Every structure is written in C-alpha cells, then in structure tokens.
C-alpha cells in the first residue's frame, strides 16, 4: 500500500502571514512597564491575516488575548471581530487620543500590553533598531516617539 502523496512545501514558497511566527520582541517581564512593552513587525497591513500569529504568541506565553485597541488610521480595514485560532478577538478603533503607531492587547484577568507597530515596509536594519529600542527597559518612549527617533537616525541606505 502506498502512502498518500501530499503537497510538499518548497523552500521558495512563503507561507501566508497567518502561518508564520509573529515578528515580536518584548520588554523583560521583571521590569516595570513603559509606554510600550515591546514591538510587533507585521508583514502586511492586513490585520485579519497578521493578528492570528501575534495572538498565538501571546496566548501561549501570557494569556488569551480577548480584545485589541488601535488607532483607526493604522489599518485600512477595521473589523470589530477578528477570528483567530480557537476564539474571536474584539477590536476597538480610535480616531483620537490613541497613539497611531501602537496596538494594545488585552488578556482577561492578566492585563494589557501596548506594542509599537513597526510599519510593514520598514527596512530590516531600521526594524531591528526599533524592535530593540521598544524592548529596552531603560527607554521610556511612546510608539510615535520611537518611530520619530528612528527616522532621525536612519542611515540613507536603509529605506
């Protein structure tokens, strides 16, 4: 009897964003929270495709993410319910009073985490600097201030 033949993934095929691990860095848990708890670098501006990997990372290590909050201008589409593996995440969208470069995740009974959203098209070197800075307990900058600071110190070749 022959085993069924499945479709093999070739190295040049890139899985959809929702199947790849989230590009995420977090501040060490022993330090007091700052304006951001780390950074997330999504691969696209499609929140429905990107959020499952982010939520999965937090569900395993922190607690089940039940809600998010973000600035309306951060994502082209703003659904109120976002299905992720095993549950649905509720979204609240703000047009003012919320950092447009941050996303806030809530886990029931655990608390919240605010993350810098590194724009999807950011160069690798700049994204690395931003993610390192957002997780640095010594820095106490907001998401927007981190992006502004990176824009001032970005080398010309890293576009």
């Amino acid at each position: 009897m022959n085993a069924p033949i499945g479709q093999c993934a070739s190295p040049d095929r890139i899985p959809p964003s929702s199947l790849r691990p989230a590009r995420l860095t977090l501040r060490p848990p022993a330090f007091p929270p700052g304006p951001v708890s780390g950074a997330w670098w999504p691969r696209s501006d499609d929140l429905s495709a990107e959020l499952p990997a982010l939520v999965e990372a937090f569900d395993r290590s922190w607690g089940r993410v039940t809600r998010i909050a973000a600035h309306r201008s951060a994502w082209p589409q703003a659904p109120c319910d976002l299905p992720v593996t095993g549950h649905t995440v509720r979204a609240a969208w703000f047009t003012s009073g919320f950092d447009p470069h941050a996303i806030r995740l809530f886990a029931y009974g655990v608390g919240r985490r605010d993350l810098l959203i590194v724009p999807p098209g950011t160069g690798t070197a700049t994204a690395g600097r931003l993610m390192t800075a957002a997780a640095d307990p010594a820095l106490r900058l907001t998401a927007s201030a981190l992006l502004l600071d990176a824009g001032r110190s970005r080398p010309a070749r890293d576009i």
Side-chain angles (χ1 to χ4, degrees):
M1 177 181 262
N2 293 335
I5 299 173
Q7 187 175 11
C8 295
S10 65
D12 58 325
R13 285 188 63 203
I14 298 172
S17 296
S18 62
L19 301 179
R20 292 183 280 177
R23 297 184 291 189
L24 177 67
T25 185
L26 297 172
R27 182 182 296 256
F31 289 90
V36 293
S37 300
W40 173 44
W41 186 20
R43 292 173 174 84
S44 75
D45 65 0
D46 181 355
L47 186 60
S48 295
E50 297 293 336
L51 191 65
L54 178 64
V55 168
E56 182 179 328
F58 275 97
D59 281 359
R60 282 182 285 141
S61 65
W62 181 55
R64 179 176 253 189
V65 175
T66 56
R67 295 180 296 136
I68 66 160
H71 196 277
R72 176 61 191 95
S73 67
W75 306 98
Q77 304 203 350
C80 289
D81 293 317
L82 294 148
V84 297
T85 305
H87 64 289
T88 300
V89 174
R90 298 279 304 163
W93 301 103
F94 296 89
T95 56
S96 64
F98 197 93
D99 191 324
H101 303 290
I103 187 167
R104 182 170 290 161
L105 292 88
F106 297 91
Y108 182 75
V110 179
R112 78 175 208 214
R113 295 271 175 100
D114 292 7
L115 301 174
L116 161 70
I117 303 168
V118 178
T122 303
T124 304
T126 300
R129 284 192 306 275
L130 283 165
M131 294 181 81
T132 299
D136 185 345
L139 291 178
R140 309 235 357 122
L141 299 174
T142 65
S144 288
L146 285 164
L147 282 171
L148 183 63
D149 189 54
R152 279 188 243 139
S153 62
R154 178 177 39 169
R157 68 182 183 282
D158 184 31
I159 300 175

